[in-house]
Amino acid sequence: MSRLIVILVFLILSVWCGLLAIHHPGFLLIVYQPWMVQMPLWFALIVFLVVFGLFYFVIDSLDRMGFLWFRLKNWLNIRRKQQSYSKTQRGLASLIEGRYKKSERLLIAGVNQSIDPLINYLSAARAAEAQGAIDRRDQYIQKAYAVAPKANLAIGLTQAELQIDNHQLEQAVATLTHLLQLAPSHARVLQLLEKVYVRLGDWKNLQILLPRLRKAKIITEKEFETFEKNIYCEIFHAASDKRLSDVRLIWNDVPRYLKKQPDVVYAYVAQLFKHAPVTGSETTKEIEALIRKTLKTHWHPELVRIYGKLNVTDANHRMVIVNTWLAKYGQHSELLFILGNDCVRLQLWGKAKDYFTRSLAQGGNAETSLAYGRLLESLGESGEAMEKYREGLVI
């Protein structure tokens, strides 16, 4: 209904305009020397509307063409990025799958059109490392620094990890030390440094690093104590060629609470024992005192073995002490072996045989079999002695 009303109104207006033009035709005169144009007003109006329509059509067409060109460029750009993403994604997938040569090729092919080429270069460096191409790996790392200078922490961590994988431990230490200056509490940097120091056996620097590991909550307080204990044990093991005075200086640096740890005491005592034959009774007394103090509260078979090898003057006194440990810690083969040896020194043959037999029953070892065989041979029991020797060889 409304459309019909609009049409009727339009027709009425058209008729009215036509009648108006007939009764009052009017003229439009345009003068531009030497030309003069005269036309009816209604014709001039029609010409104006036609020209305006053409002008609007041209402007609209240009606008549409500009929009279409914009859409085309946008589509090409998106397509180019999608192709780049596709190469990068395929390269990363190949890296995970272990197809390193293909991965490196795809990742580098996607660099120029990638929004973030850093990922491409770092992943390509990993692929090159896996192929043993160290020069190409380093080139990719340098290019990563060039395209993303603010990402030096991420790049440096990748570089350090690759250096560790390639056993370039000294270079890795240099890289990580630089990163530690940039980020003193960064967990990953500290973890990698700890890993490298352990592999290098650099116990001093690892010891310096420990408080940072604890502060960054990478290790707990209990783990810190275990770490520190193991570090001092390794320091003592590495001191085999050092002088006795140097070994004692290390012991003086050990924290008080660690001097009660049986493993640390054993590591120190083992070094002292190497110097005991040269330095005489003073070192032997120190060893004996440390072992007895430690074994009051902790069982440690290696300390017992060293105690049994000490050149003590009073075998009876040692037997009393060992029997005390036997009552406290039970029938350990190490204790029974010491008692058997001391009985041999005191010419208590029957008791010596009993202790050796009980020691072997707790856990056979070549040393006990050899000592028992020697005793039996000295007593004229050659057949049984040969049997013990054979048992020792089998063990």
Side-chain angles (χ1 to χ4, degrees):
M1 186 67 179
S2 59
R3 175 183 285 182
L4 181 59
I5 293 171
V6 171
I7 293 172
L8 287 172
V9 170
F10 179 75
L11 288 174
I12 292 169
L13 289 173
S14 299
V15 172
W16 180 78
C17 288
L19 292 172
L20 187 65
I22 291 171
H23 290 91
H24 305 284
F27 292 95
L28 176 66
L29 181 64
I30 301 174
V31 179
Y32 186 79
Q33 294 296 337
W35 296 285
M36 181 178 67
V37 178
Q38 182 178 345
M39 68 183 74
L41 188 59
W42 61 269
F43 183 76
L45 182 60
I46 292 172
V47 171
F48 173 76
L49 291 174
V50 170
V51 171
F52 179 79
L54 289 173
F55 178 76
Y56 177 80
F57 176 76
V58 170
I59 296 299
D60 185 63
S61 298
L62 290 174
D63 185 59
R64 287 178 181 274
M65 288 179 65
F67 181 67
L68 287 173
W69 176 244
F70 170 77
R71 291 188 62 183
L72 179 61
K73 288 196 299 183
N74 194 41
W75 178 79
L76 291 172
N77 189 34
I78 291 172
R79 179 177 173 81
R80 188 163 55 248
K81 289 178 180 177
Q82 286 176 340
Q83 289 177 342
S84 172
Y85 289 148
S86 177
K87 289 178 181 177
T88 300
Q89 289 170 350
R90 286 161 55 201
L92 291 173
S94 298
L95 181 63
I96 295 170
E97 293 168 3
R99 295 184 291 176
Y100 302 115
K101 186 175 182 179
K102 180 180 179 181
S103 172
E104 183 183 355
R105 176 174 54 81
L106 288 169
L107 288 165
I108 295 305
V111 164
N112 293 332
Q113 295 150 340
S114 178
I115 295 175
D116 188 8
L118 174 64
I119 300 299
N120 295 65
Y121 282 128
L122 293 183
S123 300
R126 292 187 182 278
E129 166 68 29
Q131 298 173 75
I134 306 304
D135 291 339
R136 288 206 309 273
R137 178 202 73 183
D138 292 340
Q139 288 174 8
Y140 295 145
I141 291 293
Q142 293 306 314
K143 288 180 179 179
Y145 277 117
V147 298
K150 293 184 179 180
N152 50 9
L153 189 59
I155 300 169
L157 282 170
T158 302
Q159 184 179 12
E161 288 172 357
L162 296 177
Q163 287 169 337
I164 293 170
D165 291 342
N166 198 47
H167 309 291
Q168 296 174 298
L169 301 182
E170 289 79 9
Q171 293 92 323
V173 169
T175 302
L176 291 168
T177 303
H178 173 66
L179 293 179
L180 197 62
Q181 295 173 352
L182 300 177
S185 301
H186 195 281
R188 185 58 180 160
V189 176
L190 294 171
Q191 287 172 338
L192 289 176
L193 259 180
E194 177 262 321
K195 181 179 180 179
V196 174
Y197 285 149
V198 169
R199 289 179 62 175
L200 284 172
D202 191 348
W203 309 118
K204 284 294 184 183
N205 278 319
L206 182 57
Q207 186 180 11
I208 295 170
L209 188 68
L210 271 185
R212 288 191 176 191
L213 294 172
R214 178 174 58 182
K215 186 177 180 180
K217 297 184 179 179
I218 297 171
I219 58 175
T220 63
E221 188 65 33
K222 187 175 181 180
E223 289 172 335
F224 173 85
E225 293 177 3
T226 302
F227 248 114
E228 193 168 32
K229 179 197 76 173
N230 293 337
I231 286 172
Y232 274 108
C233 289
E234 294 295 338
I235 290 173
F236 279 120
H237 293 160
S240 299
D241 299 329
K242 292 185 178 294
R243 297 174 300 177
L244 180 60
S245 58
D246 295 329
V247 174
R248 286 190 167 125
L249 284 175
I250 298 172
W251 177 252
N252 292 336
D253 290 336
V254 175
R256 184 175 297 179
Y257 81 96
L258 284 179
K259 288 183 176 180
K260 299 177 183 178
Q261 285 282 346
D263 290 337
V264 178
V265 174
Y266 168 70
Y268 175 51
V269 163
Q271 297 305 320
L272 289 180
F273 185 71
K274 293 177 181 179
H275 294 278
V278 178
T279 55
S281 61
E282 288 301 320
T283 305
T284 301
K285 287 179 180 178
E286 183 181 358
I287 294 171
E288 184 179 6
L290 284 169
I291 292 175
R292 288 175 61 182
K293 183 178 179 180
T294 303
L295 288 174
K296 282 183 180 179
T297 53
H298 298 89
W299 168 252
H300 198 282
E302 297 300 328
L303 284 175
V304 172
R305 289 191 184 97
I306 289 180
Y307 187 70
K309 295 175 182 178
L310 290 177
N311 187 21
V312 298
T313 56
D314 192 347
N316 279 312
H317 181 64
R318 180 162 61 185
M319 287 184 67
V320 171
I321 294 169
V322 174
N323 272 302
T324 303
W325 294 337
L326 196 69
K328 184 172 184 176
Y329 296 114
Q331 301 286 310
H332 287 280
S333 61
E334 295 85 1
L335 297 174
L336 295 168
F337 175 67
I338 294 173
L339 291 171
N341 272 336
D342 283 342
C343 285
V344 170
R345 290 180 61 187
L346 296 172
Q347 298 183 357
L348 301 174
W349 316 124
K351 283 188 175 184
K353 291 171 67 175
D354 177 59
Y355 283 130
F356 284 143
T357 302
R358 287 160 61 188
S359 177
L360 290 172
Q362 294 300 318
N365 62 75
E367 190 177 16
T368 304
S369 296
L370 179 61
Y372 196 6
R374 285 174 179 170
L375 172 62
L376 293 172
E377 190 175 9
S378 67
L379 295 176
E381 302 175 23
S382 301
E384 293 186 22
M386 291 302 297
E387 181 65 26
K388 295 304 174 186
Y389 289 148
R390 281 195 293 271
E391 288 178 6
L393 291 173
V394 172
I395 295 170

